[in-house]
Amino acid sequence: MQKVTRLFDFPYYQLEKHALKEALVSKKNGEWIKTSTQEYIDKANTISRGLLRLGVKPNDKIAVISLTNRTEWNIMDIGILQLGAQNVPIYPTISEEDYAYVLNHSEAKFCFVSCNEVYEKVLSIKDQVKSLENVYSFEEVSNCDSWEKVLELGTDTSNQEEVEKLMNAVTPNDLATLIYTSGTTGRPKGVMLSHNNLVTNAIESSKRFPIEDGKTKALSFLPLCHVYERMLIYLYQFRGVSIYYAESLDKISDNLKETSPHVMTAVPRLLEKVYDKIYAKGTELTGIKKKLFFWAVDLGLRYEPYGQNGWWYETQLSIARKLIFSKWKEGLGGNLGLIASGSAALQPRLSRIFNAAEFGLMEGYGLSETSPVISVNDMREGGFRIGSVGKPIDRTEVKIAADGEICIKGPQVMLGYYKDEEKTKEVIVDGYFLTGDIGELDSDGFLKITDRKKEMFKTSGGKYVAPQLLENRFKQSQFIEQIMVVGESEKMPAALIQPNFEYIKEWAKRKNIPVGDNSDIVTNEKVIARINEEVSLANESFAKWEKIKQFRLTPDVWSMEDGHLTPTMKMKRKIIKQKYIALYNDIYEH
């Protein structure tokens, strides 16, 4: 019986337990290309043999940079790890300067890229990276070697014995990967994760996944360079789940309809967008259809699990599910019954509405440094509580420090930061990893996150403000797409707001208010007055010193490309403040 103790054991375990015809599926030129478990293993071994012939040795670092998730990523991952080398995935959207930093810091020997766009970025800094011997591309790129060359090098099986010798030498506690945190501040840090870190996390997290082994389909679109999606890819392999890779964020709704998955992962930002789209469609309905739609939404927003709202509510909910929510499910492929949400705080209203519609939206919590899962909700056996991130997974100890900081002990805690003992000592104290998050454990063992320790600030009046709590409440407004609460050492909290331009254009049309482009919208008095109403309404939930006294609207859409957001859609607070320093100074009359 194959035992899984190292990451490359997962495909072999899958072969033994659930040999799949569709282990990995990617779309190329409009067609879904299927790779079976056996082909996956064969190709990974071919890559291992090819890399050996290129001179790759244990502990060499190989960088993989892909704009989209794809089968080749997994083949490279297993091919690299089997040799005792390390896979260094890099976010494709970071700056060229950061590319150079990560490739140099990790001393990457080879780099595999997805396409021309990534290749151009690597090419522009290649001469700054002394360790880099060559770059290969998955897609055809002029003047760049194809990864097929490495596969060709590996077709001769005469060195397979050497591959197996190296595989056998890899121990669970060996370093498997360096994950450079996208970081909302400063230089990326290289998180060192061992095989054991990720293997135990995948297996323990798997216990919270109510899916049928060998008969389930997942759609994957969160970047594989992010530890959350990557760990889940191993979890899926462990459970015999067929993994379909979405083409891109823009094509998700098409891909959901084409593949009809049972499970997927998401970040709150994406769920907000899905909900806003559905809501906008509802506003276009007329008559009884519109009444029914909003009756179902109101019902969904009051949802509590386990029939806590009583039989009358449950009766109405079953009608709403038949008439309205079933159409939502159809729109997302028809089979989706489990969505794992992570990376940032989920608004309780989204948890309510998606679970009322039977999508099985379960929020979890973790960090790159904890491989990543610490806790996660599970609908079964009372393991789900709205507003919490669930109970800690098995073998994980959670301790709340005197100042409210969440501290973690368990097999998922990283080995440390690469080449940075000092920073490692700051965050791992007496075997506990200090998360930098503030939270509480209730009497039933559910964990609740209240804020980021380093994001909390004091006003000049000495009062503490927790920006995430405020931001999550304000983002419930249809008019507000993104909001950043500011006010450290100032007399009051205020906010920089990116309006929901699409929604406002529709609203303005309905109200016969002439609006032009985005820069007109943010100066339109009627728009500002309407958003002010939303701010006043949201302010009612907070104490006097926390209320947003002033705000300014920004004309740009906050995006990864323009540097407002990290690849997992978290705000880069320092950068946003810098970009809009004139608006900030206007608020505080600096």
Side-chain angles (χ1 to χ4, degrees):
M1 180 65 201
Q2 175 76 40
K3 197 169 180 318
V4 181
T5 58
R6 300 150 314 171
L7 292 171
F8 51 75
D9 293 331
F10 281 116
Y12 295 93
Y13 175 85
Q14 186 183 88
L15 187 68
E16 199 174 290
K17 296 275 284 189
H18 321 277
L20 299 174
K21 285 192 178 75
E22 305 174 9
L24 302 164
V25 190
S26 295
K27 203 174 189 187
K28 280 188 190 141
N29 308 322
E31 195 190 336
W32 290 99
I33 310 290
K34 297 165 181 175
T35 300
S36 69
T37 312
Q38 187 64 63
E39 286 173 283
Y40 171 23
I41 290 171
D42 292 346
K43 272 198 158 172
N45 276 313
T46 308
I47 282 293
S48 292
R49 295 191 296 267
L51 290 173
L52 268 184
R53 292 197 170 102
L54 285 173
V56 171
K57 294 181 179 63
N59 289 317
D60 279 346
K61 311 290 182 278
I62 315 286
V64 183
I65 317 177
S66 184
L67 259 186
T68 52
N69 292 356
R70 52 179 68 224
T71 300
E72 295 94 327
W73 200 100
N74 296 78
I75 291 165
M76 283 309 308
D77 184 46
I78 300 301
I80 293 164
L81 296 173
Q82 289 187 149
L83 302 176
Q86 282 93 37
N87 176 359
V88 182
I90 300 175
Y91 282 102
T93 50
I94 59 176
S95 67
E96 285 161 19
E97 186 193 345
D98 277 346
Y99 268 34
Y101 175 80
V102 172
L103 289 167
N104 272 318
H105 189 261
S106 64
E107 296 171 64
K109 193 167 185 172
F110 293 102
C111 180
F112 288 77
V113 300
S114 55
C115 54
N116 192 54
E117 193 180 321
V118 178
Y119 179 61
E120 293 288 331
K121 276 173 96 167
V122 173
L123 199 60
S124 69
I125 52 92
K126 191 170 180 275
D127 57 348
Q128 298 170 37
V129 187
K130 298 285 171 276
S131 60
L132 196 58
E133 291 179 22
N134 203 358
V135 182
Y136 297 90
S137 173
F138 298 139
E139 288 171 20
E140 270 183 52
V141 171
S142 55
N143 303 323
C144 177
D145 283 335
S146 166
W147 86 303
E148 299 275 351
K149 270 197 168 173
V150 186
L151 282 166
E152 272 164 41
L153 270 180
T155 48
D156 168 3
T157 60
S158 60
N159 64 348
Q160 180 61 25
E161 212 173 293
E162 198 184 334
V163 172
E164 276 157 36
K165 213 164 106 185
L166 290 168
M167 277 171 80
N168 293 333
V170 177
T171 73
N173 293 320
D174 285 349
L175 178 64
T177 188
L178 295 177
I179 295 190
Y180 282 84
T181 58
S182 53
T184 46
T185 53
R187 276 261 182 246
K189 296 190 290 282
V191 174
M192 297 192 284
L193 297 181
S194 68
H195 286 269
N196 188 54
N197 287 151
L198 281 157
V199 166
T200 53
N201 204 248
I203 291 172
E204 296 303 347
S205 299
S206 155
K207 295 174 185 175
R208 299 281 167 94
F209 263 58
I211 53 176
E212 215 177 329
D213 294 13
K215 293 180 182 171
T216 299
K217 205 185 270 186
L219 184 70
S220 162
F221 63 91
L222 294 181
L224 280 174
C225 49
H226 186 237
V227 65
Y228 176 44
E229 191 70 10
R230 183 169 173 192
M231 183 282 290
L232 277 152
I233 293 297
Y234 298 130
L235 185 159
Y236 293 152
Q237 291 177 54
F238 184 63
R239 298 288 297 271
V241 174
S242 292
I243 301 164
Y244 279 70
Y245 285 128
E247 293 170 88
S248 65
L249 220 56
D250 311 334
K251 297 219 173 131
I252 274 185
S253 54
D254 296 343
N255 295 161
L256 278 162
K257 289 183 189 106
E258 291 165 60
T259 60
S260 299
H262 305 90
V263 57
M264 70 179 217
T265 48
V267 291
R269 191 76 208 95
L270 181 92
L271 296 166
E272 285 164 17
K273 279 185 179 311
V274 170
Y275 178 62
D276 288 348
K277 256 200 180 116
I278 293 172
Y279 194 94
K281 277 197 177 135
T283 59
E284 287 163 18
L285 298 170
T286 52
I288 187 76
K289 279 186 174 169
K290 189 172 188 170
K291 276 202 172 77
L292 272 172
F293 179 90
F294 284 105
W295 165 77
V297 166
D298 289 342
L299 201 63
L301 290 171
R302 298 205 309 275
Y303 173 82
E304 289 290 345
Y306 313 118
Q308 289 170 58
N309 285 337
W311 70 271
W312 174 240
Y313 176 88
E314 291 297 315
T315 309
Q316 289 184 297
L317 184 60
S318 67
I319 297 166
R321 281 172 171 167
K322 277 193 189 79
L323 296 177
I324 305 295
F325 295 142
S326 59
K327 291 187 177 70
W328 294 19
K329 285 202 86 160
E330 268 166 46
L332 297 179
N335 289 331
L336 200 54
L338 179 61
I339 303 174
S341 175
S343 171
L346 180 70
Q347 296 170 21
R349 69 180 183 129
L350 293 175
S351 188
R352 291 183 198 284
I353 197 94
F354 278 99
N355 281 297
E358 296 184 294
F359 282 113
L361 174 57
M362 295 291 128
E363 185 178 8
Y365 163 66
L367 302 94
S368 300
E369 290 88 342
T370 57
S371 310
V373 177
I374 289 167
S375 66
V376 65
N377 276 289
D378 180 353
M379 183 56 94
R380 298 165 301 178
E381 292 168 27
F384 171 43
R385 190 161 293 178
I386 290 169
S388 88
V389 289
K391 294 178 177 181
I393 58 172
D394 288 352
R395 301 177 65 192
T396 300
E397 189 194 328
V398 172
K399 183 176 83 173
I400 308 290
D403 64 356
E405 184 171 7
I406 300 164
C407 309
I408 304 297
K409 201 184 235 179
Q412 70 269 60
V413 172
M414 67 168 179
L415 300 174
Y417 294 119
Y418 192 52
K419 298 179 179 173
D420 200 338
E421 252 179 77
E422 218 165 285
K423 274 221 168 74
T424 303
K425 279 183 185 149
E426 280 173 27
V427 296
I428 299 178
V429 180
D430 300 330
Y432 283 92
F433 173 71
L434 316 182
T435 63
D437 288 317
I438 302 289
E440 54 202 42
L441 269 172
D442 72 15
S443 55
D444 297 326
F446 285 90
L447 181 62
K448 203 173 176 184
I449 315 296
T450 49
D451 217 320
R452 284 291 295 163
K453 191 172 171 178
K454 55 179 178 242
E455 282 167 9
M456 287 175 80
F457 62 78
K458 259 185 188 177
T459 57
S460 56
K463 293 282 191 187
Y464 273 107
V465 175
Q468 262 192 22
L469 291 178
L470 289 152
E471 287 157 2
N472 261 345
R473 172 62 190 86
F474 282 85
K475 277 200 302 192
Q476 290 184 26
S477 162
Q478 289 282 320
F479 289 82
I480 297 171
E481 175 95 0
Q482 293 276 18
I483 173 167
M484 186 175 98
V485 172
V486 294
E488 183 163 8
S489 305
E490 303 287 1
K491 57 181 182 282
M492 69 198 180
L496 296 168
I497 294 174
Q498 184 230 303
N500 183 340
F501 293 113
E502 271 176 55
Y503 182 79
I504 287 170
K505 281 171 191 162
E506 280 182 24
W507 167 82
K509 206 160 81 186
R510 288 201 306 273
K511 302 280 181 189
N512 295 319
I513 298 167
V515 291
D517 61 11
N518 294 359
S519 51
D520 284 339
I521 287 173
V522 299
T523 54
N524 185 299
E525 282 179 19
K526 286 185 173 159
V527 171
I528 293 169
R530 185 65 188 82
I531 290 178
N532 195 34
E533 283 176 38
E534 297 288 303
V535 168
S536 302
L537 183 67
N539 267 336
E540 287 173 17
S541 311
F542 299 100
K544 194 177 164 205
W545 72 87
E546 295 174 300
K547 293 183 197 298
I548 298 299
K549 306 289 193 296
Q550 282 203 45
F551 63 87
R552 295 291 181 272
L553 305 179
T554 74
D556 320 302
V557 171
W558 298 2
S559 68
M560 284 184 265
E561 291 69 36
D562 293 336
H564 301 86
L565 309 174
T566 73
T568 51
M569 300 184 177
K570 292 192 185 100
M571 288 186 291
K572 293 186 172 179
R573 292 178 185 268
K574 273 189 184 158
I575 289 172
I576 293 169
K577 185 179 168 184
Q578 244 357 86
K579 274 185 192 288
Y580 304 114
I581 196 70
L583 295 176
Y584 180 91
N585 289 338
D586 185 45
I587 292 172
Y588 295 111
E589 295 163 358
H590 288 325

